[in-house]
Amino acid sequence: MKTNYDAIIIGGGPAGATFARIAAAGGMDVLVIDKRKEIGVPVRCGEGLGMREIISQGLEMPKRCISTEIYGAKVVGPNGKEIVWKDKTTNGWVLERKMFDKWLCELAIDKGAQVKTYTRATDIIMKDGKPAGLKVTQWGERMQDVYAPLIVSAEGMEAQIARKAGFDVVHRLYDVDTCYQYEMKPYDHENLIELYFGNKMAPRGYVWIFPKADKRANVGIGIGGNLTNGDKNGMPGADPKTLMDQFIANHKQLKNSSTLVDFGGVISVGSPIGEFVKDNFMVIGTAAKQVDPIHGGGIATAMETGVMAADVALKAHKKKDFSKKMLFEYEAKWRPAMGKKMEKRLLLRKVMEKLNDDDLNHIFNCIGAKELDAVMSGKFAGPVAKVVAGRPELLKILSVLIS
Amino acid sequence: MIRIRHEGCILCAGCASVCPTGALELVGNKIEYYPEKCINCGACVKVCPAAVITLDKVGK
């Protein structure tokens, strides 16, 4: 590892690898460090990804990264009513994340980026009050100082270095979902992503079944982190695993299936952080809480942001000016584009958490695939009108969506 | 003061992401706990999907 680069990126996930690819292709000398021993491991993800972002970046997804193709979604209400929804935006894949993350890093390496695993940033090196590099340890022991005029945090949920740089990256319990997931087999599926809603089944969240190859599936649950549905060692807390196990015990197919992987995680379902840049520092992807508040998906956004931020970094590199003012262009572009979309999704999340199972059943009874599509693209007026026609009292809760 | 049952930990680092004081961190294949930074808020206990964190109610 050299000691001087044009940029150091912390985290080799989709955000960091994409940033590195674009920045390296544009002529910057970049280093990606990842504290994990293996890129992409452990997988902490449902592994679903729409096709749009990969296509728009001109990439061709290798077969090894795809577990199975997805042709649509099946959304199921508390009373069992199913809405099957197939359209262009639901076309996608369930990935093999391990392979996928490695592939994105390899693309960056092909463009000239350097990637180092088992390399953890422990602190920021400051010079004249501004970040100038990182203290890192390799293989758990060897310490080294690495310098660059630009530090990029693509650290994901933990974001310890962004935190040290003064960004408000700490997650509040109300704005996270705590999740548990099994990879299970056998599961016969129809290449649809399945989502199950119900306050008893998954309070302030949902159960997902994402099909994978060879009759496997990711079966997971996410529930509000501030909930107290379980007793955790004498303290009330959110307990996704118990609810997950209940769902599986009641599921015709899954109750007899085996598990191949057990894992859990915590994902942001709140707003992005208040600032993305400081002098010589950028925060991108899940570290900046750029995550969809409805489904907790972050890969596509991370990749789109990676390109956007790297384009700005390249401009800064040409001018040799990594001031906050210069880097702010990334934030100024992001908020009206992706930020606005995310705000609408957050509003929808906050409305949904006020609905009880009766309300949800009513909604599932009176909307179809067309309305679901409208809701997912942020057009609430039509579906809200349909729903309140049969249950006017819901207007009080739903009116914020149309005001 | 918290206790982590490490053998049940799935290394998701959810605890670290909600810890307001940075008292928890994923280092290598283990969650490190820095008790001097801990304010006993219990956020990590509430959010841990594997339920392996315990909060000691008495003392610090």
Side-chain angles (χ1 to χ4, degrees):
Chain A
M1 207 160 68
K2 296 188 298 179
T3 51
N4 283 280
Y5 292 85
D6 294 327
I8 308 168
I9 297 125
I10 314 165
T18 303
F19 182 99
R21 183 182 91 237
I22 303 294
M28 285 176 83
D29 187 10
V30 301
L31 170 69
V32 179
I33 57 171
D34 198 300
K35 67 181 177 185
R36 295 171 297 179
K37 290 178 185 171
E38 183 174 356
I39 295 290
V41 180
V43 177
R44 310 193 295 223
C45 179
E47 305 187 284
L49 177 65
M51 289 182 180
R52 185 184 54 87
E53 190 54 31
I54 296 293
I55 293 167
S56 78
Q57 295 199 8
L59 302 174
E60 200 168 319
M61 180 80 86
K63 283 216 166 64
R64 65 177 188 276
C65 302
I66 302 171
S67 186
T68 194
E69 289 196 0
I70 296 297
Y71 309 131
K74 181 162 87 179
V75 185
V76 186
N79 59 358
K81 166 92 193 290
E82 294 180 358
I83 304 173
V84 174
W85 171 43
K86 293 183 184 180
D87 77 346
K88 278 183 204 144
T89 59
T90 52
N91 282 349
W93 301 284
V94 174
L95 303 170
E96 292 293 347
R97 252 321 270 286
K98 268 186 227 179
M99 309 304 280
F100 177 74
D101 283 25
K102 265 190 202 131
W103 170 60
L104 289 180
C105 277
E106 283 181 53
L107 293 179
I109 295 164
D110 288 341
K111 296 291 178 193
Q114 195 166 61
V115 178
K116 290 285 175 196
T117 44
Y118 208 172
T119 304
R120 187 171 71 96
T122 57
D123 213 345
I124 303 166
I125 301 168
M126 302 294 281
K127 199 180 157 196
D128 305 326
K130 290 172 186 174
L134 292 171
K135 288 196 172 299
V136 304
T137 60
Q138 280 194 289
W139 312 296
E141 46 187 27
R142 204 173 82 181
M143 304 265 279
Q144 194 182 329
D145 291 351
V146 197
Y147 297 90
L150 177 64
I151 310 294
V152 181
S153 161
E155 298 171 273
M157 284 297 288
E158 296 147 77
Q160 298 289 348
I161 297 297
R163 190 186 287 215
K164 282 187 175 151
F167 291 90
D168 178 26
V169 290
V170 179
H171 296 268
R172 279 153 287 272
L173 290 179
Y174 172 66
D175 281 324
V176 297
D177 273 7
T178 175
C179 311
Y180 209 85
Q181 181 177 285
Y182 297 110
E183 186 176 311
M184 300 187 80
K185 180 185 172 108
Y187 184 65
D188 286 313
H189 60 77
E190 311 151 73
N191 289 78
L192 298 175
I193 276 176
E194 298 172 33
L195 305 175
Y196 296 78
F197 288 87
N199 283 304
K200 278 195 208 87
M201 181 202 299
R204 209 203 77 185
Y206 59 88
V207 167
W208 65 83
I209 303 178
F210 284 8
K212 294 189 80 171
D214 308 321
K215 294 195 174 191
R216 286 175 293 140
N218 287 336
V219 182
I221 190 171
I223 64 173
N226 61 324
L227 294 173
T228 51
N229 72 306
D231 181 358
K232 291 182 150 185
N233 312 306
M235 188 181 177
D239 184 7
K241 187 175 176 300
T242 299
L243 291 168
M244 181 80 271
D245 293 340
Q246 272 169 19
F247 177 88
I248 290 167
N250 292 321
H251 192 281
K252 258 189 293 184
Q253 274 204 58
L254 293 171
K255 66 179 173 196
N256 297 316
S257 299
S258 297
T259 58
L260 294 162
V261 183
D262 242 80
F263 80 89
V266 175
I267 189 67
S268 171
V269 290
S271 312
I273 58 176
E275 57 171 356
F276 299 158
V277 295
K278 289 182 190 289
D279 287 330
N280 309 86
F281 209 108
M282 294 171 125
V283 188
I284 61 174
T286 298
K289 305 187 191 175
Q290 295 162 343
V291 180
D292 188 301
I294 292 287
H295 56 58
I299 302 171
T301 311
M303 291 182 67
E304 198 175 342
T305 306
V307 173
M308 200 181 264
D311 283 341
V312 174
L314 282 167
K315 282 188 198 172
H317 176 61
K318 280 202 184 85
K319 291 195 173 167
K320 293 192 169 23
D321 173 11
F322 291 95
S323 65
K324 179 177 178 175
K325 205 176 152 198
M326 188 72 203
L327 300 178
F328 188 77
E329 187 187 331
Y330 144 52
E331 183 161 344
K333 272 191 184 158
W334 196 93
R335 293 200 188 270
M338 284 182 271
K340 214 160 184 192
K341 213 164 81 188
M342 229 163 251
E343 261 172 44
K344 279 197 161 177
R345 312 277 272 185
L346 182 61
L347 190 65
L348 184 61
R349 185 207 110 191
K350 290 186 172 169
V351 164
M352 279 182 66
E353 67 194 44
K354 292 194 183 114
L355 301 170
N356 62 35
D357 279 3
D358 272 355
D359 299 334
L360 283 171
N361 284 333
H362 171 73
I363 291 170
F364 271 85
N365 283 334
C366 55
I367 70 169
K370 207 179 85 190
E371 286 78 18
L372 194 60
D373 189 45
V375 168
M376 292 312 274
S377 39
K379 296 177 195 119
F380 302 129
V384 168
K386 268 202 156 172
V387 166
V388 293
R391 199 177 260 224
E393 66 271 25
L394 277 179
L395 188 60
K396 232 191 334 193
I397 298 175
L398 300 181
S399 60
V400 292
L401 293 175
I402 46 177
S403 57
Chain B
M1 186 80 187
I2 58 157
R3 282 171 212 277
I4 305 170
R5 191 168 56 80
H6 289 283
E7 63 274 26
C9 173
I10 50 179
L11 300 174
C12 75
C15 51
S17 60
V18 297
C19 175
T21 59
L24 291 157
E25 191 179 6
L26 178 62
V27 179
N29 285 336
K30 195 181 169 205
I31 293 289
E32 289 290 342
Y33 172 52
Y34 311 115
E36 69 280 5
K37 291 188 186 173
C38 179
I39 54 168
N40 298 310
C41 71
C44 54
V45 182
K46 290 195 168 180
V47 89
C48 173
V52 296
I53 309 178
T54 324
L55 182 66
D56 287 351
K57 284 183 179 157
V58 189
K60 195 163 182 175

